[in-house]
Amino acid sequence: MFLKSLIIQNGFTIIREIKFKKGINLIIDETKNNSKTSSGNNVGKTTVLRLIDFCLDGNGENIYKDPEFNKNNIAVENFIKQENVSIKLTLIEDIGDSFSKTFTIERNFKKAKDRIQKINGIDYKNTEFSTKLKELIFRTDSRLPTLRQLISKNIRDEKNKLINTIRVLAPNVITDVTYETLHLFWFGIDINLSKDQFIRERNLELKIQARLKKDSNLPQINQALLIANKRTDELIALKKKFDVNEDFENELVLLNKVRKEINLLISGISRLEIRKELIQESKKDLESNKANIDLEEIKNLYARAKVLIPNLQKNFSDVLVFHNGMVEKKIQFITEELPSIESELKKNQQNLKELLQTEKRLSDIISKSNTYEDFQKVIDELNIFYERKGVLEEQKRSWELSIQNIKTIDTKIEAINREITSKDELIQKRIAEFNSIFSEISSRLDGVHSLLSADNSEGVYKFSMSNVEGNPGTGSKKSQMASFDLAYIKFADSIDLPCLHFVLQDQIENVHSNQITNLLTEIVEEVNCQYVLPVLRDKLPKDIEIQTMEILSLSENDKLFKI
């Protein structure tokens, strides 16, 4: 799938229409470095990448919450939210065939009923939108990986994607199992992977067991039950020796039954409250990780510092907002079970209230009965042991349920692991095929034969980068990313694996000029792809024919949104 065009509209007025082509697509910032107040960081060149990302189900916040806009971020936010601004992205299956199948994505920045979120003119809700895009691009309906995870390496505009080649997802949120699912899918190993979900469930059960241990462990409970059962049997035998009327006996049986139900209900409520408390503690821990720094104060500080230090790096607020956004998503994920827990708690507490009323009524009846004092003592002690048994049996049930849940989860995880391991030969074969391309491109770009490997020594496939020369410091991170991204497209085409045939790469200026020249004039042209680069004109090597690669020119006087 290739980029065909991107249109920014205000109502029926087209603000920008950007047409893409095969090969290098340069978004040129014409800002000159001869001015102390001109930085090239506020004209909107990186925003083009983020608008494409927005159309591919991104949340769009980085369009206006980015240091690129400096003092103008509020103006941009007001413009795209309050004005009738919409973005249209058209993708095409084959950029070299004008009759190839296309589809158009249209989104705006409104909320609720005013929101536009269409694919080929059909409006989709949030989850439906992402699912439909995933089906169109990757020809799969599998739940995992998500669309956003799959395309993460194709849009390198955020910090974690600019410093990591393959671990490109949000930090502090993603597990090794999530990466295993993603990386295997990248290489055409499409398995029904739910390990991440099962491991989260397993961790929750372990937390429940930790709480249960505060009262007692399972062996202690079993021993206590033996003693309680023995004494209960003794008291029942003793009770039978008394001669009491049938009504009194029936009331006692009913009272004991009600008390047992009360104990079971109390234990069930306790388990629900433990689960609720664990979720709330996790939420509190996550919220405490949020940085509560006054971003407005930091922004003003940076603005003042910029006057004194023109080349000051301004990425603090970006990292902070990004971090807090990821934490908020994780909070939403772990608290989604709370409503059902609270509903069940409310129902159980109401039932408990009714049972307690019944218990009081029966207790009052029995206490008024004209029976023997010794018999009453036996009954009182028997009730105490019934209560103890009820509590112990519920604790035992909670332990056994949790242990069984872990066994069930472990069985599912082991089945998935066996399924994955059974494909190890295919996995290693695919990686070898990829490395033959990756190593060749990387050696041409920066003189290092980079390679990818996957190790399953701990039950989870972990993909990692290295090089034949054994010197991880050789070459630059940016050139490794470029080599990987281009090699992946070439590899995917070789085995007919659906993929995005475009890479959006920010901060390419950090690559050595010789590597940029090699990348732009030779390597990209050999791959069936589009390489979209926002770049300052002054940072490009002088020997490159920029005119043939340029698709958009921006400047301080001609910014992306023209505001």
Side-chain angles (χ1 to χ4, degrees), residues 382-439:
L382 186 59
N383 287 335
I384 290 172
F385 273 91
Y386 275 138
E387 289 179 13
R388 288 181 183 175
K389 279 184 62 179
V391 171
L392 289 169
E393 286 170 352
E394 178 56 26
Q395 287 177 340
K396 181 179 180 179
R397 190 193 71 81
S398 296
W399 266 106
E400 290 175 343
L401 177 61
S402 184
I403 290 170
Q404 183 57 48
N405 285 344
I406 288 180
K407 285 182 180 179
T408 302
I409 292 168
D410 285 345
T411 299
K412 292 177 180 178
I413 292 174
E414 288 169 6
I416 292 173
N417 283 339
R418 285 195 299 271
E419 184 180 2
I420 298 172
T421 303
S422 69
K423 296 180 179 290
D424 183 72
E425 185 177 346
L426 175 60
I427 293 170
Q428 301 303 335
K429 178 175 179 291
R430 291 278 171 85
I431 293 175
E433 292 171 352
F434 170 78
N435 278 333
S436 67
I437 303 170
F438 181 34
S439 178

Side-chain angles (χ1 to χ4, degrees), residues 475-487:
S476 72
K477 200 70 176 177
K478 290 291 189 303
S479 62
Q480 184 189 72
M481 291 176 191
S483 300
F484 180 90
D485 295 339
L486 294 172

Side-chain angles (χ1 to χ4, degrees), residues 357-542:
Q357 290 173 348
T358 302
E359 182 197 31
K360 185 178 184 305
R361 179 180 61 80
L362 291 170
S363 295
D364 290 343
I365 292 172
I366 291 173
S367 66
K368 294 175 183 178
S369 298
N370 186 19
T371 187
Y372 300 104
E373 184 179 344
D374 290 341
F375 182 78
Q376 188 64 53
K377 290 180 180 178
V378 170
I379 295 304
D380 289 343
E381 186 178 357
L382 186 59
N383 287 335
I384 290 172
F385 273 91
Y386 275 138
E387 289 179 13
R388 288 181 183 175
K389 279 184 62 179
V391 171
L392 289 169
E393 286 170 352
E394 178 56 26
Q395 287 177 340
K396 181 179 180 179
R397 190 193 71 81
S398 296
W399 266 106
E400 290 175 343
L401 177 61
S402 184
I403 290 170
Q404 183 57 48
N405 285 344
I406 288 180
K407 285 182 180 179
T408 302
I409 292 168
D410 285 345
T411 299
K412 292 177 180 178
I413 292 174
E414 288 169 6
I416 292 173
N417 283 339
R418 285 195 299 271
E419 184 180 2
I420 298 172
T421 303
S422 69
K423 296 180 179 290
D424 183 72
E425 185 177 346
L426 175 60
I427 293 170
Q428 301 303 335
K429 178 175 179 291
R430 291 278 171 85
I431 293 175
E433 292 171 352
F434 170 78
N435 278 333
S436 67
I437 303 170
F438 181 34
S439 178
E440 190 268 337
I441 291 178
S442 63
S443 66
R444 289 173 57 192
L445 190 57
D446 62 11
V448 175
H449 292 81
S450 295
L451 57 88
L452 179 73
S453 61
D455 178 38
N456 189 24
S457 60
E458 298 178 358
V460 178
Y461 273 96
K462 294 182 181 179
F463 286 63
S464 59
M465 309 291 296
S466 59
N467 59 67
V468 175
E469 287 76 8
N471 181 3
T474 304
S476 72
K477 200 70 176 177
K478 290 291 189 303
S479 62
Q480 184 189 72
M481 291 176 191
S483 300
F484 180 90
D485 295 339
L486 294 172
Y488 179 81
I489 293 173
K490 201 168 184 179
F491 160 77
D493 281 351
S494 71
I495 62 170
D496 195 27
L497 192 64
C499 72
L500 292 177
H501 283 77
F502 57 84
V503 177
L504 315 182
Q505 174 71 63
D506 196 14
Q507 298 182 12
I508 195 67
E509 296 97 330
N510 294 337
V511 177
H512 191 277
S513 61
N514 291 339
Q515 295 174 350
I516 293 179
T517 300
N518 195 7
L519 183 69
L520 270 55
T521 60
E522 294 183 23
I523 296 175
V524 171
E525 294 302 318
E526 298 171 6
V527 182
N528 186 28
C529 73
Q530 296 166 308
Y531 208 66
V532 184
L533 304 170
V535 63
L536 281 162
R537 181 180 291 275
D538 286 355
K539 297 292 184 178
L540 288 170
K542 304 301 182 183

Side-chain angles (χ1 to χ4, degrees), residues 22 29 41 82 91 102 148 158 167 183 192 240 247 262 280 381 427 430 454 488 503 513:
K22 185 179 178 181
D29 184 342
N41 286 332
Q82 297 176 12
L91 301 181
T102 65
R148 297 297 300 166
E158 302 281 357
R167 294 183 72 88
H183 293 157
N192 181 18
K240 288 180 180 179
D247 289 340
I262 287 173
Q280 289 175 333
E381 186 178 357
I427 293 170
R430 291 278 171 85
Y488 179 81
V503 177
S513 61

Side-chain angles (χ1 to χ4, degrees), residues 41 71 75 83 86 104 128 148-149 159 192 198 215 229 270 273 318 385 387 438 460 475 518 542:
N41 286 332
K71 294 182 180 181
E83 299 294 327
S86 64
T104 299
E128 297 172 345
R148 297 297 300 166
Q149 291 171 348
K159 182 177 180 181
N192 181 18
F198 291 143
D215 295 325
N229 285 330
S270 176
E273 286 177 338
D318 180 39
F385 273 91
E387 289 179 13
F438 181 34
V460 178
N518 195 7
K542 304 301 182 183

